[in-house]
């Protein structure tokens, strides 16, 4: 869009033909407005650029905070983020791509959209893989925008059931896998007994304690070889909170939600 004023210089009279075709197919100019070059630069820029609703309806703005609002506004809608977005690759749906999610966040920002089950479907299918951050030419931190959207969805009662189960498991068992607290130390070698006090505390985390069972014995071996005086929390160790962070649960968030019944359990052709 920034280069639109120069499009006539590049295409000449062909631009008029293209505009006629566009007008025949899209008489109300609702498809990609502004992309066919600006005839009246000031008016067209104002009509088509993203800040118009923010200027015209400031009372409706639902800010995410200045830093994130700037991230949302920095998206130039180029669509490069389609390349490699696993959720777009699986669904071919723009609203399940990074750009689509930024647009949805933009409409949350302008106050045109309210949190809803449909919106939650779009935001929670993001894997937060960060591929979009790597390919975005504008350096937009898409995953941060999605996280902020999730926080808003959780506060409005739209945490998906599968994430509600994870939160319940963390609260009950201290881990997201539904494993018993006491099992956390089963991976400790018999010669290792956590001491009451030590200058260094080694935190293993849930994956190392319950799933990737090579990590704890290897870490203990390294600590021994390095002659570090350390201890661990044993069965008192608790989830680090990363999952809460990922799904948008924050302090004082209302976790249990009844507003997500019927949340889609399918993922393209796969079951979630
Ligand atoms: S690549 Fe970046 S700037 Fe382009 S549409 Fe995606 S998020 Fe927006
Ligand atoms: S972080 Fe989300 S939006 Fe970005 S590429 Fe990964 S799945 Fe797609």
């Amino acid at each position: 869009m920034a280069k639109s004023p120069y499009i006539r210089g590049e295409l000449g009279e062909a631009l008029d033909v293209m505009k006629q075709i566009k007008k025949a197919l899209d008489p109300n100019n609702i498809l990609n407005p502004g992309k066919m070059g600006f005839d009246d630069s000031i008016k067209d820029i104002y009509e088509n650029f993203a800040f118009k609703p923010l200027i015209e309806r400031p009372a409706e703005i639902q800010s995410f905070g200045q830093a994130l609002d700037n991230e949302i506004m920095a998206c130039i809608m180029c669509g490069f983020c389609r390349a490699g977005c696993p959720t777009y690759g699986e669904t071919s749906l723009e609203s399940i791509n990074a750009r689509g999610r930024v647009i949805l966040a933009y409409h949350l920002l302008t106050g045109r959209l309210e949190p809803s089950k449909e919106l939650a479907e779009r935001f929670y299918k993001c894997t937060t893989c960060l591929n979009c951050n790597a390919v975005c030419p504008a350096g937009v931190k898409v995953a941060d925008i999605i996280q902020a959207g999730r926080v808003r969805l959780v506060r409005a009662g739209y945490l998906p059931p599968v994430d509600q189960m994870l939160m319940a498991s963390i609260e009950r068992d201290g881990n997201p896998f539904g494993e018993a607290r006491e099992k956390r130390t089963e991976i400790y070698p018999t010669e290792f007994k956590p001491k009451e006090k030590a200058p260094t505390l080694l935190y293993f985390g849930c994956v190392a304690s319950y799933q990737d069972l090579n990590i704890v014995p290897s870490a203990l071996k390294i600590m021994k070889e390095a002659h570090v005086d350390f201890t661990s929390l044993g069965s008192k160790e608790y989830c680090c909170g990363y999952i809460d962070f990922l799904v948008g649960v924050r302090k004082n968030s209302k976790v249990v939600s009844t507003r997500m019944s019927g949340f889609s359990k399918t993922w393209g052709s796969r079951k979630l």
Side-chain angles (χ1 to χ4, degrees), residues 157-171:
Y158 291 103
L159 182 67
V162 64
D163 298 311
Q164 291 175 37
M165 278 165 53
L166 290 175
M167 294 300 103
S169 174
I170 290 171
E171 198 167 334

Side-chain angles (χ1 to χ4, degrees), residues 121-160:
E121 298 238 17
R122 271 70 192 161
F123 278 75
Y124 279 94
K125 278 181 176 164
C126 168
T127 63
T128 60
C129 68
L130 302 184
N131 182 71
C132 45
N133 283 25
V135 300
C136 175
V140 178
K141 294 179 187 142
V142 180
D144 290 0
I145 295 169
I146 291 168
Q147 296 287 74
R150 288 178 176 178
V151 171
R152 198 169 284 186
L153 285 159
V154 170
R155 292 204 169 129
Y158 291 103
L159 182 67

Side-chain angles (χ1 to χ4, degrees), residues 115-117 155-159 164 254 256-261:
S116 66
K117 194 169 76 177
R155 292 204 169 129
Y158 291 103
L159 182 67
Q164 291 175 37
K254 192 173 69 178
V256 178
S257 159
T258 52
R259 304 180 76 173
M260 291 300 290
S261 58

